[in-house]
């Protein structure tokens, strides 16, 4: 059996069935890139899934039907606002850990992922990425945890040791998100997250994400609100960024203080 191909397919189906906001994101991006999007284009996007529309309008503070919402987006707020809204809605859904196999819960994983996303976004200019792509690279950096539990839940995987499947889950997650329509910049970042730093396609981005992720995990494990373990940053990772420990830690401190459940902004 081709486990990798089958894993991509199974995971893609699960994610699209369980998380309509996740599947919406690439479609919004495609519409943003369209030369002259029409009201009909936006209306089709907004009216396809009533449950998702309800979530989006609630989060935006609107009380309108699909046509009213589509007009608000196209003529006033803009499609970039719809993309941000979809991301913030998605953040509240996709980090569920249904089986609790990893020693953390979905709330902790969501917080880590959203803060890491804001951390990588902070450096988007240094990374030479769009702000949204930098954000999504950080957001999905740990998404293999979700993939693992979803695949165990449907009995595609047996056993409860994530480390046994870490590399496969990174590949399957990248493949599934690629199938859903996410950009190669994001999917390759996910797949490279388990590789040796200098065998990845983007060592600078990987080094930043790994440092930020490691510091956030240290805070989780110590049940502390401070980054006292910052002296343990891998020197090779730090050298690859060209930044100082203090610069990185100060950014993470500010982002952690401003977290507010991940709903206030991207």
């Amino acid at each position: 059996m081709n486990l990798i191909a089958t894993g991509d397919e199974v995971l893609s189906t699960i994610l699209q069935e369980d998380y309509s906001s996740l599947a919406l994101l690439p479609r919004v991006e495609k519409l943003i890139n369209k030369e002259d999007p029409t009201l009909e284009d936006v209306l089709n996007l907004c009216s396809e899934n009533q449950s998702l529309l309800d979530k989006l309008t609630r989060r935006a503070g609107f009380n309108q039907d699909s046509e009213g919402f589509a007009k608000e987006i196209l003529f006033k707020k803009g499609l970039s606002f719809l993309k941000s809204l979809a991301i913030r809605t998605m953040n509240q859904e996709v980090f569920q850990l249904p089986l609790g196999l990893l020693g953390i819960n979905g709330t902790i994983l969501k917080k880590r992922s959203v803060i890491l996303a804001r951390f990588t976004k902070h450096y988007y200019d240094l990374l030479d990425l769009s702000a949204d792509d930098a954000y999504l690279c950080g957001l999905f950096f740990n998404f293999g945890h979700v993939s693992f539990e979803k695949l165990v839940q449907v009995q595609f995987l047996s056993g409860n040791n994530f480390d046994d499947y870490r590399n496969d889950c990174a590949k399957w997650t990248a493949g599934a998100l690629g199938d859903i329509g996410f950009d190669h910049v994001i999917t390759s970042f996910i797949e490279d997250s388990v590789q040796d730093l200098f065998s990845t396609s983007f060592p600078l981005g990987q080094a930043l994400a790994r440092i930020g992720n490691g510091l956030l995990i240290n805070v989780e494990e110590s049940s502390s609100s401070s980054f006292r373990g910052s002296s343990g940053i891998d020197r090779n990772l730090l050298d690859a960024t060209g930044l100082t420990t203090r610069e990185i830690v100060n950014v993470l401190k500010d982002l952690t203080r401003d977290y507010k459940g991940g709903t206030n902004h991207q």
Side-chain angles (χ1 to χ4, degrees), residues 5-251:
T6 306
D8 293 354
E9 182 179 83
V10 172
L11 192 56
S12 175
T13 299
I14 292 170
L15 295 178
Q16 291 183 78
E17 288 178 352
D18 288 358
Y19 306 126
S20 54
S21 54
L22 175 68
L24 174 66
L25 267 179
R27 298 179 61 206
V28 175
E29 183 69 30
K30 186 178 292 186
L31 200 54
I32 289 173
N33 292 331
K34 187 175 180 180
E35 187 172 336
D36 191 18
T38 66
L39 179 61
E40 184 179 6
D41 291 329
V42 182
L43 186 58
N44 287 339
L45 203 63
C46 293
S47 61
E48 189 172 274
N49 185 311
Q50 185 60 46
S51 174
L52 176 60
L53 176 62
D54 290 344
K55 292 174 186 175
L56 294 173
T57 54
R58 281 199 306 271
R59 189 160 302 283
F62 298 151
N63 184 21
Q64 302 179 49
D65 60 15
S66 57
E67 184 172 357
F69 183 62
K71 287 179 178 177
E72 183 78 18
I73 292 299
L74 187 61
F75 301 127
K76 293 183 180 180
K77 295 292 188 179
L79 288 168
S80 293
F81 173 79
L82 178 59
K83 184 176 181 182
S84 175
L85 197 59
I87 290 174
R88 286 183 284 130
T89 301
M90 180 191 72
N91 288 351
Q92 303 308 307
E93 299 179 336
V94 300
F95 294 105
Q96 300 165 10
L97 295 171
L99 304 178
L101 300 176
L102 300 167
I104 58 172
N105 59 40
T107 300
I108 292 173
L109 183 62
K110 181 186 75 171
K111 181 177 181 179
R112 185 200 307 171
S113 298
V114 171
I115 293 174
L116 186 62
R118 293 177 183 172
F119 178 71
T120 50
K121 180 181 178 179
H122 178 85
Y123 293 105
Y124 79 92
D125 204 18
L126 176 65
L127 297 174
D128 197 24
L129 295 175
S130 72
D132 282 342
D133 281 352
Y135 182 93
L136 291 172
C137 283
L139 189 74
F140 290 122
F141 191 77
N142 290 292
F143 202 68
H145 294 68
V146 176
S147 300
F148 172 67
E149 291 216 356
K150 288 288 187 180
L151 291 171
V152 172
Q153 188 177 39
V154 299
Q155 299 182 332
F156 178 79
L157 294 178
S158 58
N160 57 9
N161 188 350
F162 174 64
D163 287 336
D164 291 342
Y165 296 104
R166 185 183 296 272
N167 289 1
D168 286 334
C169 283
K171 293 177 184 177
W172 293 334
T173 301
L177 292 182
D179 182 59
I180 291 169
F182 283 86
D183 191 271
H184 178 70
V185 168
I186 297 156
T187 59
S188 63
F189 199 86
I190 297 167
E191 188 164 1
D192 281 350
S193 65
V194 293
Q195 306 302 319
D196 178 74
L197 179 66
F198 293 106
S199 66
T200 68
S201 58
F202 196 6
L204 172 57
Q206 287 292 328
L208 270 172
R210 293 176 192 195
I211 291 171
N213 196 55
L215 290 173
L216 290 168
I217 290 173
N218 286 345
V219 168
E220 292 167 12
E221 292 178 344
S222 65
S223 300
S224 168
S225 59
S226 67
F227 291 92
R228 285 192 295 269
S230 57
S231 59
I233 293 176
D234 186 312
R235 190 73 216 180
N236 291 327
L237 294 178
L238 193 61
D239 289 346
T241 69
L243 300 170
T244 67
T245 298
R246 177 173 291 182
E247 287 174 312
I248 290 171
V249 168
N250 284 343
V251 170

